Amino acid sequence: MTTTTHTPTAAAPVATPAGADATPRAVRPIPTARLAKVELRKMFDTRAGFWLMASVGIVSVLATAAVILWAPDGAIDLETFASAIGMPLSVVLPIIAIMSVTGEYSQRTGLTTYTLVPWRGRVITAKLLVTLGIGVASMFLALAIGAVGNLVGAAITGIDPVWSVTVTEFANIVLANVLGMLMGFMLGVLFRSTPGAIVGYFVYSLVLPIAFGTLAALQSWFADLQPWVDVQFAITRLFDQSMTTEYWQQLGVTTLVWLWIPLALGLRAVLRAEVK
């Protein structure tokens, strides 16, 4: 019996067409402006996201109407409208910031997002820029609605409009709300779960201030220490007091401990964790 041995033949080299460029084509990264535009559109894409964004204008109008209907004549001024609008917005805006991050995980879009843009830091940066932009724009929208309400309320009561909010006070209000949104953003990055981040925010904004306030009332030694450890106490001063150098220092220390360090830890986890 004869055995035939087949010797493998090397494949013929593929000829490169004349004039073809053998240099690999350079791929430019997606511009940050385009990423921010996409992240902004994501906030309106879902029904929940649309109504959450629309609630900024809705609660501002409702709060303004409530002041016009029930506030005494002597309280009809811009400061009253700003306070009435600011209370619901201080809850709505951080939730918007939370969902801007956690939506990637709850809606399972993170796999697509981080595949198209492999470096997750650029995506998180775009989300942060959009969050800050929405916060500042919401404050100017609330100011405009409050100003209209002030004019309408003054016309109804027959008094002269009182513009009791200065530029510095408005800037402090914007800063306070932006810090609140950053708190929500930090919790979204840290937990990457909408329910967990929302619960964490209410612990930050309600439970801890009550605990710190109770401790300060019962222990005199903690009363002087509270402004250096209670971030909500430090942020609240932006609304109702003129900021001194010491108050700014306390705001810097508390936000460093409760905002920037946890945000850095959360970003480290986002950049390393597996997206499922």
Side-chain angles (χ1 to χ4, degrees):
M1 185 175 182
T2 304
T3 304
T4 305
T5 303
H6 296 279
T7 303
T9 305
V14 179
T16 303
D21 188 3
T23 304
R25 182 170 61 91
V27 179
R28 291 183 299 176
I30 300 175
T32 302
R34 188 184 304 170
L35 290 177
K37 183 179 179 180
V38 171
E39 294 301 329
L40 179 61
R41 189 167 63 233
K42 284 181 182 179
M43 292 186 173
F44 294 89
D45 278 351
T46 63
R47 195 174 304 171
F50 172 80
W51 285 109
L52 187 61
M53 296 293 292
S55 66
V56 173
I58 293 172
V59 299
S60 298
V61 172
L62 291 178
T64 299
V67 172
I68 294 175
L69 291 175
W70 292 301
D73 294 352
I76 299 296
D77 56 30
L78 187 58
E79 184 177 0
T80 302
F81 285 100
S83 299
I85 295 172
M87 290 180 63
L89 287 186
S90 65
V91 177
V92 173
L93 292 178
I95 294 178
I96 292 175
I98 287 172
M99 293 184 64
S100 71
V101 179
T102 59
E104 297 286 357
Y105 300 87
S106 62
Q107 299 172 21
R108 302 296 181 89
T109 58
L111 290 172
T112 303
T113 300
Y114 296 138
T115 299
L116 295 175
V117 186
W119 196 66
R120 302 174 191 178
R122 298 193 65 220
V123 177
I124 298 299
T125 301
K127 291 180 181 294
L128 179 60
L129 293 176
V130 170
T131 298
L132 295 177
I134 289 175
V136 175
S138 298
M139 288 296 98
F140 278 97
L141 175 63
L143 178 65
I145 294 175
V148 173
N150 191 31
L151 292 173
V152 173
I156 292 175
T157 57
I159 62 176
D160 294 330
V162 179
W163 309 101
S164 51
V165 176
T166 64
V167 175
T168 301
E169 290 172 344
F170 178 69
N172 288 343
I173 293 173
V174 172
L175 176 59
N177 281 276
V178 166
L179 288 174
M181 290 194 77
L182 287 174
M183 287 288 183
F185 188 86
M186 176 271 295
L187 291 168
V189 171
L190 197 61
F191 288 99
R192 300 184 296 282
S193 166
T194 302
I198 291 177
V199 170
Y201 176 74
F202 283 111
V203 170
Y204 255 60
S205 59
L206 295 178
V207 178
L208 286 179
I210 293 174
F212 286 141
T214 303
L215 183 60
L218 298 178
Q219 301 292 333
S220 58
W221 62 268
F222 188 74
D224 295 332
L225 185 62
Q226 183 184 9
W228 297 96
V229 298
D230 188 349
V231 65
Q232 289 297 326
F233 185 88
I235 291 176
T236 303
R237 280 176 163 166
L238 291 168
F239 290 104
D240 54 14
Q241 294 190 29
S242 58
M243 296 293 290
T244 64
T245 302
E246 184 180 12
Y247 292 166
W248 284 113
Q249 292 172 349
Q250 293 167 352
L251 181 64
V253 171
T254 53
T255 53
L256 175 65
V257 174
W258 292 100
L259 172 60
W260 302 117
I261 293 178
L263 180 59
L265 296 176
L267 289 174
R268 184 176 183 272
V270 167
L271 296 177
R272 291 170 176 262
E274 179 183 0
V275 181
K276 299 180 180 180

